[in-house]
Amino acid sequence: MTSDSMSDTMAGTTKGVAAKKPARGKRARVVLFFLAVLAIIAYRPAHQHARAASLLVSFSDKNAKPNVTDERTTFDVNGEQVAARIYTPAGVSDPPSVVLVHGVNHFGIDDPRLERFARAVSAAGVQVMTPAVKELSDYHVAPHSIDTVGGALMEMQRRNHVSRVGLMGMSFGGGVSLLAAADERFADRVSFVVAVGAHADLGRVSRFFVTDEVARPDGSVEHLKAHGYGMMILVYTHVEDFFPAADVPAAREAMRLWIWEHRDEARKIEATCSAACKEKLDRLFGEGAEIYRPEMLALIDRHANDMAKVSPHGRLGTIRANVYLLHGAGDTVIPATETEWLAQEVPAKRLKTTLITPALEHVDLKDPSAADKWALVHFMGRVIGEADAQ
């Protein structure tokens, strides 16, 4: 498995780096994006849609260089200094403000794909802050992350002298963003929230990692092969439940190194473990981890309350921000059914758009059809319209 395949991009898991395509193919995709936006403008005139098309083109092109500044800063959350990056569009006075939350990825705010997306959003006329959420960077979803996101919202309010700020979250960062927007401490500070590939119920997603089964809101069950990344992260975040107590420090470090793609170093740490620990790590690092499914399901049951605390499920009824939900149809990290569940829980007057599209793989752009490009541009056009209305 390549380093990209173990990385949560913004954070979204990919399946490797695609081979470079001819420049002619890239130009064709760009043309299709703009054809799509022209068709939308003909249907519903909106300057925001043209900016949305440019945003998507910029994000899909690794060589794009949007005209934005990138500032590194820190802000205070309950006495703790939190690192952040702020992207500001050139030539735009008083741009709207958005906080963009990364997902589960040890690169955090320095993930190249997050940087590219933040620059693309900023180039569309928005000032974007990406706060470093330390728990997400260590592959944990924790209540303290909500405080960090809330602190970022307040910092953007203070900097820009605005009453409300937009909020976007990717993958598990999307679920955290929804929780922050629903938190009474921060609810009136959020103008809108966009959740991309987000979870509704961490316990349900964790069971999916183990069982390859997806529960739908209509009561049916879909069988979908979960990305192997999920089972690895589930064990890493609860390593003390899975290994003998004396082996926990070494097992945690070995798994961390493996997830970071430092495989040789991980094997060296593994060699210091007991025989029981080494057997489990060998299976997790290679094949045969399925033998531990009963143990993992018991682990999920033990931590049900903790997982509920970081799940939007049951907490969105009083959300006051407008909500936009976007998900990749074939997502094998957080299945798209989670967005179906979210769409049922967000109050109807607050849910503005739900889009489940084959154009995304978790939160990475694929090669979408013209119709899928149309839908994506329309979705992002509405989001930009919300930002402009701040």
Side-chain angles (χ1 to χ4, degrees):
M1 189 174 289
T2 67
S3 59
D4 275 337
S5 63
M6 284 299 293
S7 294
D8 203 14
T9 68
M10 309 185 304
T13 301
T14 63
K15 296 182 180 178
V17 180
K20 291 185 177 179
K21 297 185 177 181
R24 183 173 56 185
K26 182 180 292 186
R27 287 196 298 272
R29 291 196 302 274
V30 171
V31 169
L32 282 174
F33 265 124
F34 280 103
L35 286 177
V37 77
L38 287 173
I40 293 171
I41 291 172
Y43 168 70
R44 181 184 175 183
H47 176 55
Q48 289 90 356
H49 288 85
R51 289 154 62 197
S54 295
L55 185 163
L56 292 169
V57 170
S58 179
F59 176 54
S60 64
D61 183 0
K62 293 182 179 180
N63 297 316
K65 298 187 182 300
N67 189 14
V68 303
T69 61
D70 176 5
E71 169 195 356
R72 290 186 181 270
T73 187
T74 61
F75 62 95
D76 180 87
V77 178
N78 300 323
E80 176 185 358
Q81 291 299 301
V82 177
R85 295 173 71 170
I86 297 179
Y87 301 84
T88 304
V92 179
S93 60
D94 299 321
S97 307
V98 168
V99 170
L100 171 62
V101 183
H102 64 83
V104 174
N105 185 316
H106 71 276
F107 292 111
I109 61 175
D110 294 321
D111 178 81
R113 287 158 292 195
L114 179 73
E115 292 177 12
R116 196 167 72 245
F117 186 70
R119 290 178 185 278
V121 173
S122 182
V126 179
Q127 187 177 68
V128 179
M129 171 191 273
T130 57
V133 184
K134 65 181 181 181
E135 298 83 14
L136 293 175
S137 293
D138 193 36
Y139 300 85
H140 289 70
V141 185
H144 185 263
S145 299
I146 301 168
D147 296 337
T148 301
V149 173
L153 292 167
M154 290 189 287
E155 177 66 10
M156 286 294 269
Q157 284 183 295
R158 184 193 67 78
R159 279 175 166 259
N160 297 336
H161 308 289
V162 294
S163 60
R164 296 195 301 167
V165 176
L167 181 56
M168 302 178 72
M170 307 298 179
S171 185
F172 290 106
V176 171
S177 295
L178 287 167
L179 287 166
D183 191 304
E184 280 298 318
R185 296 172 296 169
F186 313 124
D188 289 329
R189 304 176 188 274
V190 183
S191 56
F192 66 92
V193 56
V194 182
V196 184
H199 71 286
D201 187 323
L202 184 58
R204 183 169 52 232
V205 174
S206 298
R207 287 184 174 276
F208 163 64
F209 292 157
V210 178
T211 64
D212 298 326
E213 292 183 346
V214 178
R216 309 187 74 97
D218 64 7
S220 64
V221 176
E222 177 184 348
H223 293 274
L224 177 67
K225 180 62 178 174
H227 199 287
Y229 166 91
M231 194 178 290
M232 175 79 74
I233 297 306
L234 174 64
V235 174
Y236 175 71
T237 54
H238 300 94
V239 66
E240 66 282 350
D241 288 52
F242 202 73
F243 292 92
D247 288 313
V248 165
R252 178 182 289 115
E253 181 64 6
M255 293 191 72
R256 183 185 68 82
L257 290 167
W258 191 270
I259 292 166
W260 285 26
E261 297 292 326
H262 302 320
R263 300 299 169 79
D264 291 340
E265 293 91 334
R267 290 294 189 186
K268 289 177 183 177
I269 299 295
E270 179 191 12
T272 69
C273 291
S274 67
C277 171
K278 189 174 186 305
E279 180 182 357
K280 284 190 168 183
L281 287 173
D282 279 340
R283 287 184 179 274
L284 288 167
F285 293 167
E287 301 291 337
E290 294 79 7
I291 194 174
Y292 300 123
R293 279 176 173 164
E295 192 172 348
M296 292 182 188
L297 290 172
L299 179 159
I300 293 167
D301 289 340
R302 283 196 301 275
H303 292 276
N305 289 336
D306 293 334
M307 292 183 179
K309 291 176 183 176
V310 288
S311 297
H313 170 61
R315 290 175 163 77
L316 300 179
T318 58
I319 196 168
R320 296 193 278 277
N322 290 336
V323 177
Y324 295 78
L325 302 175
L326 178 63
H327 216 118
D331 196 334
T332 60
V333 178
I334 299 176
T337 47
E338 288 299 291
T339 280
E340 294 178 14
W341 286 98
L342 288 171
Q344 287 199 343
E345 297 209 30
V346 176
K349 66 180 180 180
R350 292 301 176 198
L351 182 60
K352 297 305 178 181
T353 303
T354 301
L355 176 61
I356 296 175
T357 172
L360 293 179
E361 184 174 314
H362 197 40
V363 292
D364 255 352
L365 272 176
K366 296 171 68 177
D367 285 331
S369 68
D372 292 331
K373 291 185 179 76
W374 177 309
L376 272 175
V377 170
H378 184 62
F379 181 95
M380 290 307 301
R382 293 197 64 182
V383 170
I384 290 173
E386 280 276 7
D388 287 347
Q390 283 183 10

